[in-house]
């Protein structure tokens, strides 16, 4: 479904430019219908703003997605000069992939903390002024970091599961974010003879893998959230 937005400005040109800047679009990416030409009035008295209705030509993105991309580009501009942002959307998610030749660690932060903060901030700002796509979650990745992190977590969890099975003793993993715990849980669902518990330690949560000795049963036997 195409995005349709109305915008006001002192002139039609100003309204068009303002809307394009807000959404990060070029003029040829929107179709414009002039609703009111606007008028200066007499000595400034009785002036009226111009009003337009713009239709975005792309039908595979939401207004929140376009605004999220633009907000992220503005934020990135304070840290790096060479970057590009690619926008893709699913039914429930806005995916922003950042490519840069500059310091990626600065944008990712320790254990992805800076990246998570950017996701939260971009999502809040982009969702504040739009209805289209408002419920979609913003996901930001920097040069494939999330995919590599997902693979690393899956490997670590499989090794820990094997260790718990061999030793017959519980194995506690490092603290993980909600995103990382989801990966761990999905990985453990494919393992036999294990159950897991999630416990809070201050502001952090850790997963403990516990052998059950019932390897014939498929998947994780039980998950307990603390």
């Amino acid at each position: 479904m195409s995005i349709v937005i109305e915008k006001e400005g002192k002139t039609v040109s100003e309204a068009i430019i303002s809307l394009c800047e807000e959404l990060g679009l070029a003029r040829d990416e929107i179709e414009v219908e002039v609703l009111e030409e606007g008028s200066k009035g007499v000595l400034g008295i009785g002036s009226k703003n111009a009003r337009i209705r713009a239709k975005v030509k792309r039908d595979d993105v939401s207004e929140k997605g376009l605004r999220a991309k633009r907000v992220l580009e503005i934020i990135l501009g304070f840290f790096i000069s060479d970057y590009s942002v690619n926008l893709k959307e699913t039914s429930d998610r806005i995916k922003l992939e950042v490519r840069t030749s500059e310091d990626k660690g600065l944008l990712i932060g320790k254990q992805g903390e800076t990246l998570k903060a950017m996701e939260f901030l971009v999502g809040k700002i982009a969702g504040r002024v739009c209805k289209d796509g408002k419920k979609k979650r913003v996901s930001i990745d920097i040069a494939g970091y999330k995919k590599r992190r997902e693979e690393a977590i899956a490997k670590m969890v499989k090794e820990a599961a094997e260790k718990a099975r061999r030793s017959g003793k519980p194995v506690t993993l490092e603290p993980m974010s909600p995103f990382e715990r989801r990966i761990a849980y999905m990985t453990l669902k494919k393992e036999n003879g294990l159950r897991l518990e999630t416990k809070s330690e201050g502001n952090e949560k850790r997963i403990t893998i516990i052998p059950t000795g019932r390897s014939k049963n498929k998947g994780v036997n039980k998950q307990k959230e603390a």
Side-chain angles (χ1 to χ4, degrees), residues 49-64:
N49 280 343
R51 189 161 62 92
I52 63 168
R53 179 181 292 129
K55 179 181 177 181
V56 179
K57 293 181 179 180
R58 286 185 66 178
D59 59 4
D60 60 337
V61 295
S62 65
E63 182 185 351
K64 183 177 179 181

Side-chain angles (χ1 to χ4, degrees), residues 33-91:
E33 176 187 355
V34 178
L35 302 177
E36 291 186 38
E37 289 284 354
S39 60
K40 294 182 179 179
V42 179
L43 299 176
I45 299 174
S47 63
K48 284 187 177 181
N49 280 343
R51 189 161 62 92
I52 63 168
R53 179 181 292 129
K55 179 181 177 181
V56 179
K57 293 181 179 180
R58 286 185 66 178
D59 59 4
D60 60 337
V61 295
S62 65
E63 182 185 351
K64 183 177 179 181
L66 290 172
R67 291 187 182 278
K69 179 176 181 289
R70 182 60 183 144
V71 170
L72 178 58
E73 288 171 340
I74 292 171
I75 292 173
L76 291 173
F78 288 102
F79 296 95
I80 55 178
S81 57
D82 174 34
Y83 64 86
S84 64
V85 180
N86 183 50
L87 167 63
K88 289 184 179 180
E89 295 192 38
T90 64
S91 60

Side-chain angles (χ1 to χ4, degrees), residues 7-22 25-28 30 32-40 48-54:
K7 186 71 176 178
E8 291 188 3
K10 290 182 180 179
T11 64
V12 170
S13 293
E14 183 180 282
I16 293 172
I17 292 171
S18 178
L19 181 63
C20 286
E21 288 180 346
E22 285 181 16
L25 296 173
R27 174 62 182 85
D28 61 3
I30 61 173
V32 176
E33 176 187 355
V34 178
L35 302 177
E36 291 186 38
E37 289 284 354
S39 60
K40 294 182 179 179
K48 284 187 177 181
N49 280 343
R51 189 161 62 92
I52 63 168
R53 179 181 292 129

Side-chain angles (χ1 to χ4, degrees), residues 65-220:
L66 290 172
R67 291 187 182 278
K69 179 176 181 289
R70 182 60 183 144
V71 170
L72 178 58
E73 288 171 340
I74 292 171
I75 292 173
L76 291 173
F78 288 102
F79 296 95
I80 55 178
S81 57
D82 174 34
Y83 64 86
S84 64
V85 180
N86 183 50
L87 167 63
K88 289 184 179 180
E89 295 192 38
T90 64
S91 60
D92 63 348
R93 189 159 300 196
I94 295 165
K95 298 181 178 181
L96 299 170
E97 173 69 28
V98 179
R99 297 290 177 183
T100 179
S101 60
E102 298 184 38
D103 184 9
K104 301 172 186 64
L106 176 67
L107 302 176
I108 295 169
K110 185 178 180 181
Q111 293 187 331
E113 289 298 325
T114 303
L115 183 56
K116 285 185 284 186
M118 275 199 296
E119 283 183 337
F120 177 80
L121 185 61
V122 169
K124 283 292 185 182
I125 295 174
R128 186 180 56 184
V129 293
C130 65
K131 293 181 180 179
D132 181 50
K134 190 176 183 69
K135 293 184 179 180
K136 290 188 178 185
R137 180 183 174 188
V138 173
S139 175
I140 303 173
D141 198 2
I142 310 290
Y145 164 80
K146 279 189 173 179
K147 184 178 180 180
R148 295 193 302 274
R149 181 63 177 159
E150 183 174 337
E151 291 171 348
I153 290 171
K155 181 180 178 182
M156 176 189 69
V157 168
K158 287 179 180 179
E159 290 174 350
E162 183 59 29
K163 180 180 178 181
R165 248 194 308 264
R166 285 198 316 266
S167 67
K169 298 179 180 179
V171 175
T172 300
L173 304 177
E174 64 184 41
M176 293 181 177
S177 66
F179 164 75
E180 293 167 338
R181 290 198 303 275
R182 282 194 296 272
I183 297 169
Y185 181 62
M186 294 304 295
T187 302
L188 285 167
K189 283 182 70 174
K190 301 174 185 178
E191 298 292 327
N192 299 329
L194 301 167
R195 69 181 178 90
L196 63 88
E197 292 183 356
T198 306
K199 294 185 177 181
S200 298
E201 295 182 3
N203 295 326
E204 299 178 333
K205 286 190 175 182
R206 290 176 180 265
I207 290 175
T208 298
I209 303 172
I210 303 170
T212 63
R214 289 181 250 176
S215 60
K216 292 183 180 180
N217 296 331
K218 292 184 178 181
V220 178

